[in-house]
Amino acid sequence: MIKEGVFLGKRYEILGRIGSGGMADVYKGKDHKLNRFVAIKVLKSTYRSDETFIKKFLSEAQAAAGLMHPNVVNVYDVGQDRGLYYMVMELVEGITLKDYIEKKGKLSAKETISISIQMVTGIQAAHNCHIIHRDIKPQNIIISKDGKVKVTDFGIARATTSTATQAVTTTVMGSVHYTSPEQARGGIVDEKSDIYSAGITMYEMITGHVPFDGDSTVTVALKHLNEVIKSPAEEVPDIPYSLECIIMKCTQKLPNKRYMSCEELLQDLKHSLVDPEGDFVVLDGVTRRMPATSQDTGRTTVVMSPDELNRMKNRQNYNDDYDDDYDDDYDDDYDDDYEDDYDDRRRSRYDDDDDYDDRRRSRYDDDDDYDDRRRSRYDDDDDYDDRRKDRYDDRNRRKKNEVNKDTKKIMKILMVVAGVVIALLIMFLVGNAVGVFKGGKGTTTQQTDSEMVKVPDVTGKTYEEAQKELNKYDLGIHKSTAPSDTVAKGKIISQDPADGKKVKKHTTVNVVISSGEEAKTTTIPNVVGMSEADAEKALQDKNLVVKKGDPVYSDDVEQGEVVSVSPSEGAEVKEGTTVTLVISKGNQPATVPKLTGKSQSDAEAALSQAGLSGNATEDYSDTVEEGVIISQDTDAGKEVSKGTTIGYVVSKGPKMTVVTVPDLSYKDQNTAEKLLKQAGLTPEYIGEDYSDNYPKGQVFYQSVSSGTQVEKGTTVQYMVSKGAQPSAPDSGNSGNDSGTEENTNQ
């Protein structure tokens, strides 16, 4: 964990940690250059020495760097500082969609559609930049305080032009509860894989849980591969029909049965807002709801007639209130101020705001006629239910009142009809036996033919023209795209069933629309080690588009030469593909650490960690204790080349001054004191004693011999003579007289 106050890249200040993932920690920071708050994603220390994880981390930055969109968390910068790999992103203050679902239990239909539109818009922006997210899930969707929905975390994203995306691998990327079947089995992953994950996310929003769960990731992945997703209507009976169809289409096992693009999905989501019970979603072999009747309330796979479709459209179970429970359920312990502000803004955007209703009505209909037409199409909930109940009760009453009086009449009619049918059957059997009906068309064939139509030729037409033509014959249409060198872009290449073939009404005709000429393929040339100019020319000669990535330091590649290329060298790509070059900035500089005040061992360790070496010298110092560094020849914080030698001075302590001890013999006390002090020594008188050789009052002893060199300030002790010691008196006679006489005689 990085401490608060640390600067990265001499620009971004760490303010505190706000989250943590599998690979990285996320911090709130401040960009002091642009004076704005940012989110800083830092690779965890566990992975900083792992080249695989570093490349994965940098790939996320590269994948997201080209995305600048209101519904995507934008990436501002990426860098490395002191062994820390970091990515600077837009700071979005809000809540993840996962947390929001958990707090609400499940979302209303309108809220689900509104969030989904913004989510899919962000995914579409990535797809437009040829980026497949591959990990769409509620945890990677953020709802900001102002209600903006943003897609984040492109950690396993890949470019659609990358060969890695097309390769079959046994490694399943993404979160298993939201992964597509093809992704679970390690197959080809494209835009439709993100659409599948978006469908699972919508399923969780409307039901409150994911469709598949299990004890292990393998169990869940197998369910995505093998089990059919139950319709959300089984748990949410009042789900709008169009939203049910959208979710079911997104989550089809086969990619070609899903939406072909986010553009198609967005079109249906927006349509669902104004026509929630409409049958405009094109489904191919998907289980759909039947209109409820007194005999059948189940579900089956059918092709609906126009009458059935109209009856379906008359159902109105969609709640026009946005979500009254929103205020009550929103995260009480998240942030009360945030809750109030967010709810107010949300209500102002989607519910109570009259301006929003006016805008919505003006967008789709005239203000005065909007509600009238909507009521006439779907009916008000209460009136609709009442009318259905009244019709049902009236029908039952009529049947009950009429059954008695008409029973006999009906029975007579039925007997007559039965007799006629039996007679006709006998005639047919007899006629068939004698060959009367041979070669002709029987009644049954004629009835079958009346339900059949010839498929018109729609090749060469646009999708809209084909749809209009097929509708004339009560036929549906489903489109897919394919490149063509002969058919203009947007025109139909082929159709199935073919033109002229007889099919039942309401059959879906599959058409393939031209996406234009298929781009020619080429191979990424070997440009690593080339100069920037030569590499650009080599790529342009291959009809490739050159993009400059952020330059990096390299100990192996000279400054100004290519360090790496993406897609990698030798990869087969289409002409016109964007290729990113990463240019070397030369050897990575090292930052000189602060050495002063450290011990010599600590200084050498700091230099080694920074990739530098040290050169020590010694000197005396009256202020710095022995063994501690006095100074360094290169300022701390300066960037130098790795391997540079940094000189520093180690203290030997205070410098010692040497003086010579004077001779104090035969000097009186005052003279001795004076001589010692003049020599820079400290005199110390320790008393007096008898001496036969030194007269009274003269120095006869000193602690340090004269002529000795000692450190200035050294203490020298000395003693003064009391003179000769007197003789002891003679016992028994006058010793004084004898002594005197003896001495005198001498």
Side-chain angles (χ1 to χ4, degrees):
M1 182 173 175
I2 305 176
K3 294 182 179 179
E4 295 182 11
V6 172
F7 275 77
L8 296 178
K10 299 181 180 180
R11 174 176 177 178
Y12 306 106
E13 181 184 4
I14 300 294
L15 301 180
R17 191 169 71 167
I18 57 179
S20 181
M23 291 174 52
D25 295 315
V26 182
Y27 299 86
K28 182 178 181 180
K30 185 174 182 180
D31 181 353
H32 284 269
K33 186 175 182 179
L34 298 178
N35 193 29
R36 64 182 177 186
F37 293 106
V38 294
I40 305 173
K41 194 172 194 178
V42 182
L43 189 65
K44 289 185 175 180
S45 58
T46 311
Y47 307 117
R48 290 170 195 163
S49 60
D50 193 321
E51 291 295 329
T52 301
F53 280 94
I54 292 173
K55 289 180 180 179
K56 187 172 183 287
F57 183 80
L58 295 176
S59 73
E60 175 181 356
Q62 292 175 354
L67 299 180
M68 297 297 292
H69 192 273
N71 295 116
V72 173
V73 176
N74 297 308
V75 174
Y76 299 143
D77 193 11
V78 63
Q80 179 190 4
D81 188 0
R82 290 164 284 181
L84 300 174
Y85 293 89
Y86 64 90
M87 179 177 12
V88 183
M89 306 178 295
E90 175 188 5
L91 179 64
V92 182
E93 296 185 357
I95 187 173
T96 67
L97 178 58
K98 185 69 174 181
D99 291 337
Y100 188 53
I101 295 172
E102 290 178 352
K103 297 175 191 305
K104 297 267 307 207
K106 58 183 179 181
L107 310 187
S108 68
K110 273 191 176 180
E111 194 169 18
T112 298
I113 296 171
S114 178
I115 292 174
S116 298
I117 288 175
Q118 296 191 67
M119 174 183 68
V120 176
T121 301
I123 299 171
Q124 183 187 25
H127 290 178
N128 289 341
C129 293
H130 307 293
I131 300 297
I132 304 170
H133 191 287
R134 303 206 306 170
D135 197 19
I136 295 296
K137 57 184 178 182
Q139 294 91 326
N140 288 337
I141 308 298
I142 300 177
I143 304 174
S144 68
K145 286 185 176 181
D146 59 358
K148 181 70 72 175
V149 177
K150 292 177 177 284
V151 182
T152 187
D153 201 351
F154 286 79
I156 61 173
R158 292 288 179 88
T160 56
T161 55
S162 173
T163 55
T165 306
Q166 305 298 324
V168 177
T169 175
T170 58
T171 303
V172 178
M173 303 289 286
S175 300
V176 69
H177 288 91
Y178 307 89
T179 194
S180 64
E182 62 271 17
Q183 195 172 358
R185 66 173 174 264
I188 296 174
V189 177
D190 60 11
E191 290 87 347
K192 294 183 284 295
S193 302
D194 284 349
I195 290 174
Y196 181 93
S197 300
I200 300 295
T201 301
M202 285 187 270
Y203 187 103
E204 184 175 1
M205 282 192 275
I206 199 68
T207 65
H209 62 81
V210 292
F212 299 129
D213 203 357
D215 298 332
S216 67
T217 57
V218 175
T219 301
V220 179
L222 289 174
K223 288 183 178 181
H224 279 287
L225 287 167
N226 301 320
E227 295 187 12
V228 177
I229 293 179
K230 294 181 180 179
S231 170
E234 295 188 14
E235 295 189 40
V236 188
D238 61 346
I239 181 176
Y241 177 68
S242 61
L243 179 57
E244 177 195 3
C245 292
I246 290 171
I247 294 173
M248 296 303 292
K249 184 170 184 177
C250 288
T251 56
Q252 289 298 292
K253 302 293 183 193
L254 298 176
N256 62 358
K257 294 189 179 292
R258 302 172 202 153
Y259 287 97
M260 294 295 105
S261 66
C262 287
E263 183 181 2
E264 291 184 16
L265 175 55
L266 278 173
Q267 184 178 351
D268 280 358
L269 284 170
K270 292 175 181 178
H271 196 167
S272 182
L273 280 177
V274 295
D275 190 7
E277 296 296 338
D279 184 46
F280 50 82
V281 179
V282 179
L283 295 171
D284 186 7
V286 181
T287 300
R288 305 168 64 157
R289 282 187 285 170
M290 287 288 292
T293 67
S294 59
Q295 288 85 20
D296 182 16
T297 58
R299 306 173 188 275
T300 184
T301 302
V302 299
V303 178
M304 294 183 178
S305 67
D307 292 337
E308 291 172 331
L309 294 177
N310 289 331
R311 287 197 298 271
M312 177 63 74
K313 291 179 181 180
N314 288 329
R315 298 172 57 223
Q316 174 63 19
N317 297 319
Y318 194 56
N319 183 12
D320 288 330
D321 296 330
Y322 189 74
D323 187 4
D324 295 334
D325 297 332
Y326 183 91
D327 296 337
D328 298 333
D329 296 343
Y330 192 74
D331 188 12
D332 291 334
D333 54 2
Y334 181 74
D335 187 347
D336 292 337
D337 296 333
Y338 170 47
E339 175 183 350
D340 295 338
D341 293 343
Y342 185 69
D343 290 338
D344 292 340
R345 285 190 292 270
R346 193 165 175 270
R347 284 192 296 269
S348 70
R349 288 182 68 186
Y350 300 112
D351 293 317
D352 299 333
D353 192 354
D354 295 334
D355 294 339
Y356 174 80
D357 292 335
D358 292 340
R359 289 193 301 271
R360 193 160 178 252
R361 286 192 292 270
S362 66
R363 183 177 180 182
Y364 298 106
D365 293 294
D366 294 330
D367 292 345
D368 296 334
D369 297 336
Y370 176 84
D371 290 334
D372 293 337
R373 285 197 299 272
R374 194 161 185 261
R375 283 193 294 270
S376 67
R377 186 174 184 181
Y378 303 110
D379 301 325
D380 293 333
D381 292 343
D382 295 336
D383 293 341
Y384 175 77
D385 292 338
D386 291 340
R387 284 195 295 273
R388 281 190 70 186
K389 185 176 182 300
D390 292 340
R391 288 197 298 270
Y392 181 81
D393 292 341
D394 289 342
R395 186 166 62 250
N396 287 340
R397 282 194 297 271
R398 286 195 301 272
K399 288 181 179 179
K400 185 175 180 181
N401 294 332
E402 295 173 359
V403 67
N404 292 328
K405 73 177 183 180
D406 293 336
T407 298
K408 292 182 180 180
K409 183 178 180 180
I410 292 172
M411 291 300 295
K412 289 181 180 179
I413 294 172
L414 289 175
M415 290 177 67
V416 173
V417 172
V420 172
V421 171
I422 293 171
L424 290 173
L425 180 61
I426 293 172
M427 291 175 62
F428 176 79
L429 293 173
V430 174
N432 190 55
V434 298
V436 173
F437 300 107
K438 288 183 179 180
K441 292 184 180 181
T443 304
T444 303
T445 304
Q446 292 175 356
Q447 290 175 347
T448 302
D449 286 345
S450 67
E451 298 175 359
M452 306 288 283
V453 294
K454 283 187 178 181
V455 179
D457 184 9
V458 295
T459 57
K461 299 181 182 293
T462 65
Y463 175 81
E464 292 76 15
E465 292 170 344
Q467 187 178 39
K468 185 177 180 181
E469 181 68 18
L470 292 171
N471 286 343
K472 294 178 182 179
Y473 298 88
D474 293 328
L475 297 173
I477 186 172
H478 178 268
K479 67 177 179 179
S480 61
T481 59
S484 175
D485 296 333
T486 57
V487 180
K489 185 178 181 180
K491 302 289 186 172
I492 294 176
I493 304 170
S494 62
Q495 64 181 80
D496 182 28
D499 64 289
K501 186 175 180 179
K502 281 192 174 184
V503 297
K504 289 183 179 180
K505 291 182 179 180
H506 314 300
T507 297
T508 297
V509 179
N510 297 299
V511 299
V512 180
I513 299 176
S514 171
S515 58
E517 293 185 8
E518 186 174 15
K520 297 179 180 178
T521 60
T522 186
T523 303
I524 305 294
N526 185 4
V527 296
V528 173
M530 286 186 179
S531 67
E532 183 178 346
D534 290 343
E536 283 190 36
K537 186 177 184 305
L539 293 170
Q540 290 169 353
D541 290 343
K542 293 278 189 174
N543 294 323
L544 299 170
V545 179
V546 180
K547 177 184 176 182
K548 305 289 181 59
D550 293 331
V552 298
Y553 294 106
S554 175
D555 296 333
D556 303 320
V557 181
E558 295 284 338
Q559 183 177 357
E561 295 181 353
V562 178
V563 176
S564 65
V565 61
S566 179
S568 59
E569 297 170 325
E572 288 191 2
V573 298
K574 294 180 179 179
E575 292 184 355
T577 297
T578 298
V579 179
T580 302
L581 291 177
V582 178
I583 308 300
S584 172
K585 296 191 316 183
N587 292 334
Q588 183 175 1
T591 302
V592 179
K594 181 181 179 182
L595 305 180
T596 55
K598 297 181 183 291
S599 66
Q600 186 173 1
S601 60
D602 290 344
E604 287 293 337
L607 289 170
S608 178
Q609 187 176 3
L612 304 170
S613 60
N615 181 31
T617 58
E618 293 181 327
D619 198 2
Y620 294 102
S621 174
D622 295 333
T623 58
V624 181
E625 65 178 297
E626 185 178 1
V628 177
I629 296 183
I630 303 171
S631 61
Q632 60 190 91
D633 60 8
T634 306
D635 294 337
K638 185 176 180 179
E639 290 187 345
V640 297
S641 299
K642 282 189 176 181
T644 300
T645 300
I646 307 299
Y648 59 90
V649 180
V650 183
S651 173
K652 294 168 63 177
K655 187 175 182 179
M656 183 177 66
T657 302
V658 179
V659 297
T660 303
V661 179
D663 186 7
L664 305 180
S665 301
Y666 297 102
K667 306 292 190 298
D668 59 50
Q669 185 175 354
N670 290 335
T671 303
E673 290 273 343
K674 186 177 180 180
L675 289 173
L676 289 173
K677 289 180 179 180
Q678 287 177 345
L681 301 171
T682 303
E684 183 180 357
Y685 172 69
I686 59 176
E688 58 182 2
D689 202 355
Y690 293 106
S691 175
D692 296 335
N693 300 319
Y694 290 85
K696 184 179 180 179
Q698 295 181 353
V699 177
F700 72 92
Y701 167 79
Q702 64 185 79
S703 60
V704 183
S705 300
S706 61
T708 303
Q709 289 189 329
V710 297
E711 185 179 357
K712 187 177 181 179
T714 300
T715 298
V716 179
Q717 298 174 332
Y718 67 93
M719 295 180 67
V720 177
S721 174
K722 294 168 61 176
Q725 186 173 4
S727 301
D730 188 12
S731 60
N733 55 38
S734 178
N736 291 337
D737 292 342
S738 259
T740 302
E741 289 179 356
E742 183 177 351
N743 291 338
T744 302
N745 290 332
Q746 291 178 349

